[in-house]
Amino acid sequence: MKLIELFIYPIKSCGKITLNQGEVNLKGLDWDREFMWVDESGQFVTQRTYPELAKVQVKLLADSIELSIDDQKIKPFQLQPKLIGNPKTVQVWRDETMAIDQGDEVANWLKNALKQDNQPNFRLVRQSPNFIRPVDPNYAVNTDNQVSFADGYPCLLTNTASLAELNRKLQETYPKSSEEVPMNRFRPNLVIDTDQPFLEDQWKVILIGEIYFDLVKPCSRCIVTTTDQESGERNPLKEPLKTLATFRQQPGGVMFGINIIPRNTGTIRVGDVVEVMETY
């Protein structure tokens, strides 16, 4: 088994960046979910409510971050990331933490890019290194486990055979459709190639490259899986979530992929062998 794809999402709920190799820190891959949009009350904003965020593409440049959208009238925006400023209280699910507001210009850019007059005034914030956000203690392996602005865990791993099984069942339900659901619907960080669907459910510890990962919790899926990650449009039939629920409903939700926590820091690369160190 090998690691075949590697992704980060510097701004939560916005476009992915594809990597050939990535640096792993204790809260995940460098730059992954380092930023997020919040509303005026500091509540996090995602594709669950605003699927059009999927259309915002992100690039990491030498000393800035470029935001763009597929619209010739909207010029890309160069963001100079800030770690200095007044800390702002923000909310991610049940977690309250502090973040650094990235300014009016990027907030105005998003409002223009999404072209919604009734859209609230979202602010872009960056996670402050002075305020650690801990992993849910019910699933943490160590007391120092921490997380970025991801939903709850440092990294998400998915499996190619699981996606193939889902697409097989979708084909049974919609035999006249030639479309397959791509892996980007599940917004993973690590994609591994196996020949057995949901094999990761049985694993407790794996080694990829030089990094040990604890597999702590299957990932409960939501309406984001029904959102086209290019157009930001929802599937009117609520697929693939509807079909996934027919065979992956478990206590806690409809599961696809697994949340993982790194034990150490270092580099992982596309092509690295995946070794199973412990199983349940």
Side-chain angles (χ1 to χ4, degrees):
M1 297 181 295
K2 290 185 178 181
L3 176 68
I4 63 163
E5 290 184 297
L6 192 59
F7 305 109
I8 57 172
Y9 309 81
I11 302 176
K12 185 177 180 70
S13 266
C14 292
K16 71 178 184 298
I17 294 177
T18 303
L19 303 177
N20 290 319
Q21 68 177 52
E23 299 303 314
V24 179
N25 60 70
L26 293 181
K27 64 179 185 179
L29 287 157
D30 282 0
W31 292 102
D32 187 52
R33 277 86 170 191
E34 177 87 3
F35 301 81
M36 70 176 178
W37 300 103
V38 297
D39 64 19
E40 292 175 333
S41 70
Q43 184 73 20
F44 76 126
V45 174
T46 73
Q47 287 185 34
R48 294 173 180 87
T49 308
Y50 295 93
E52 58 270 29
L53 287 173
K55 297 187 292 183
V56 178
Q57 299 303 310
V58 182
K59 287 183 181 179
L60 292 179
L61 306 178
D63 58 354
S64 64
I65 296 175
E66 182 181 274
L67 283 67
S68 63
I69 197 163
D70 189 16
D71 185 335
Q72 292 183 351
K73 296 181 181 179
I74 305 296
K75 293 182 179 180
F77 181 82
Q78 304 291 322
L79 173 70
Q80 304 294 326
K82 297 188 293 186
L83 276 175
I84 298 174
N86 293 324
K88 178 183 180 68
T89 302
V90 298
Q91 189 89 16
V92 188
W93 297 114
R94 291 175 294 179
D95 296 341
E96 187 176 277
T97 186
M98 305 298 287
I100 306 300
D101 192 292
Q102 298 301 295
D104 293 340
E105 286 187 82
V106 68
N108 291 334
W109 180 88
L110 182 70
K111 193 171 184 69
N112 291 331
L114 298 186
K115 296 180 179 177
Q116 292 187 345
D117 294 335
N118 60 346
Q119 175 200 307
N121 293 313
F122 297 151
R123 307 293 297 186
L124 186 67
V125 298
R126 184 180 187 182
Q127 190 172 35
S128 171
N130 298 322
F131 296 89
I132 301 301
R133 181 179 170 225
V135 168
D136 183 340
N138 293 319
Y139 296 97
V141 179
N142 299 305
T143 56
D144 64 348
N145 288 158
Q146 55 187 278
V147 62
S148 65
F149 284 143
D151 278 349
Y153 302 90
C155 296
L156 174 65
L157 178 146
T158 60
N159 166 0
T160 56
S162 306
L163 183 66
E165 177 68 3
L166 172 58
N167 277 311
R168 185 184 70 78
K169 290 183 178 291
L170 283 166
Q171 186 62 36
E172 290 177 352
T173 305
Y174 307 100
K176 294 183 179 180
S177 174
S178 60
E179 287 189 22
E180 291 193 346
V181 171
M183 190 66 87
N184 67 12
R185 292 289 187 90
F186 300 95
R187 298 178 64 83
N189 295 113
L190 292 78
V191 181
I192 59 171
D193 188 31
T194 82
D195 58 5
Q196 184 174 336
F198 308 104
L199 186 61
E200 64 274 12
D201 288 354
Q202 306 168 21
W203 301 341
K204 188 174 182 181
V205 181
I206 58 175
L207 175 65
I208 303 178
E210 57 190 43
I211 309 297
Y212 288 88
F213 292 95
D214 290 285
L215 289 76
V216 296
K217 183 182 180 294
C219 185
S220 175
R221 310 315 305 214
C222 68
I223 196 171
V224 172
T225 60
T226 73
T227 305
D228 186 304
Q229 293 297 303
E230 303 298 326
S231 69
E233 296 178 356
R234 296 261 204 248
N235 181 283
L237 300 175
K238 297 185 179 180
E239 294 291 6
L241 191 60
K242 183 178 177 181
T243 294
L244 188 64
T246 65
F247 69 106
R248 288 293 292 175
Q249 182 73 54
Q250 299 177 10
V254 179
M255 305 300 183
F256 188 99
I258 196 158
N259 294 295
I260 63 178
I261 299 175
R263 288 188 178 182
N264 57 303
T265 62
T267 306
I268 55 175
R269 299 174 175 84
V270 171
D272 280 347
V273 173
V274 179
E275 299 180 60
V276 179
M277 312 305 291
E278 292 183 47
T279 60
Y280 285 103

